[in-house]
Amino acid sequence: MAGVQWHYVLKFIITGDAAVGKSSLLVRLTDQRFLANPDPTLGVEFGSKLITIPEENKIVKLQCWDTAGTESFRSITRSYYRGAAGCLLVYDVTSRQSFVNARSWLADVREHADPHLTCILVGNKLDLCSDESSDGAAAGGKRKREVSIEEAELWAKEENLLFVEASAKSGENVEAAFERATRDILSKVHRVA
Ligand code: GDP
């Protein structure tokens, strides 16, 4: 791969309710850090990252767009979705409401985005319930999980979404989520090639 900067450029969009951690996932991916108190008015809107898919011998440049505050409009302009190859549909594993609302975010994506878009459902804030024991709330202020893996997995399967639980705070599965979606996109490229 000497001399090659990247083989593909893929546009990713990140959607989901306010405060589920969309900006934090983007900052974690592109900057390997976590902000405990990000300023919502200064939400990251765009970030890019090179990832390598070794078995394909390919370097892929991800261009990721965050909805950055537009959640309140519940519908985002078509231009935001245009050309997107991948979508992270994010909910917070400690917020049932954010999981319920993921349905309408998905409807929005399906209405506006390319029908072949690869979508990965991401249950964020896994660190808040990583103990999985009954005394979670007592241990260091951890919050209770409100969406089970099984339920999210089932819904993802029904909707033909990839699925992963992640934490922007610890970094767990963040790059992996983008990598899984990228692999899926590349496999579609091969099918039409
Ligand atoms: P957005 O509105 O969806 O972009 O959400 P933000 O990225 O602004 O995050 C909202 C709040 O959740 C902030 O206080 C973040 O620090 C916090 N947050 C984001 N991701 C995580 C995570 O993985 N774990 C924990 N514990 N907090 C998170």
Side-chain angles (χ1 to χ4, degrees):
M1 289 193 274
V4 176
Q5 276 187 295
W6 57 78
H7 299 91
Y8 297 106
V9 178
L10 297 178
K11 176 178 172 180
F12 270 71
I13 54 177
I14 308 177
T15 58
D17 270 7
V20 294
K22 299 180 299 299
S23 300
S24 301
L25 287 165
L26 185 51
V27 170
R28 169 59 73 186
L29 177 78
T30 58
D31 223 14
Q32 292 85 43
R33 66 196 167 99
F34 175 73
L35 302 172
N37 295 301
D39 183 340
T41 60
L42 296 176
V44 178
E45 290 174 4
F46 175 79
S48 69
K49 163 97 177 165
L50 289 181
I51 62 164
T52 305
I53 305 293
E55 69 274 21
E56 299 261 359
N57 205 22
K58 292 280 186 279
I59 300 171
V60 182
K61 183 174 186 168
L62 303 183
Q63 293 187 329
C64 306
W65 294 86
D66 172 21
T67 44
T70 49
E71 302 95 341
S72 50
F73 299 109
R74 296 299 298 155
S75 118
I76 297 160
T77 59
R78 200 169 282 271
S79 61
Y80 176 71
Y81 294 100
R82 193 176 298 135
C87 171
L88 260 72
L89 177 60
V90 186
Y91 68 96
D92 170 349
V93 292
T94 69
S95 160
R96 175 132 211 103
Q97 194 57 50
S98 72
F99 179 68
V100 169
N101 291 347
R103 289 180 185 272
S104 59
W105 288 109
L106 179 61
D108 213 43
V109 170
R110 293 251 156 96
E111 191 184 336
H112 297 295
D114 185 298
H116 301 296
L117 170 120
T118 289
C119 202
I120 183 163
L121 179 67
V122 179
N124 189 39
K125 306 196 185 182
L126 183 57
D127 60 282
L128 290 175
C129 52
S130 56
D131 58 303
E132 300 292 356
S133 64
S134 54
D135 63 348
K142 285 185 187 296
R143 277 151 59 190
K144 219 171 140 50
R145 172 190 280 279
E146 289 189 1
V147 184
S148 71
I149 297 182
E150 293 75 19
E151 183 181 12
E153 224 162 29
L154 187 67
W155 182 61
K157 209 169 165 189
E158 278 169 16
E159 295 289 351
N160 200 20
L161 311 172
L162 301 170
F163 169 63
V164 73
E165 286 191 335
S167 167
K169 185 172 183 179
S170 72
E172 185 178 355
N173 275 344
V174 175
E175 215 167 311
F178 285 92
E179 280 175 10
R180 278 188 60 190
T182 301
R183 284 197 171 87
D184 187 73
I185 294 164
L186 294 189
S187 73
K188 290 176 190 170
V189 171
H190 292 323
R191 263 178 263 143
V192 295

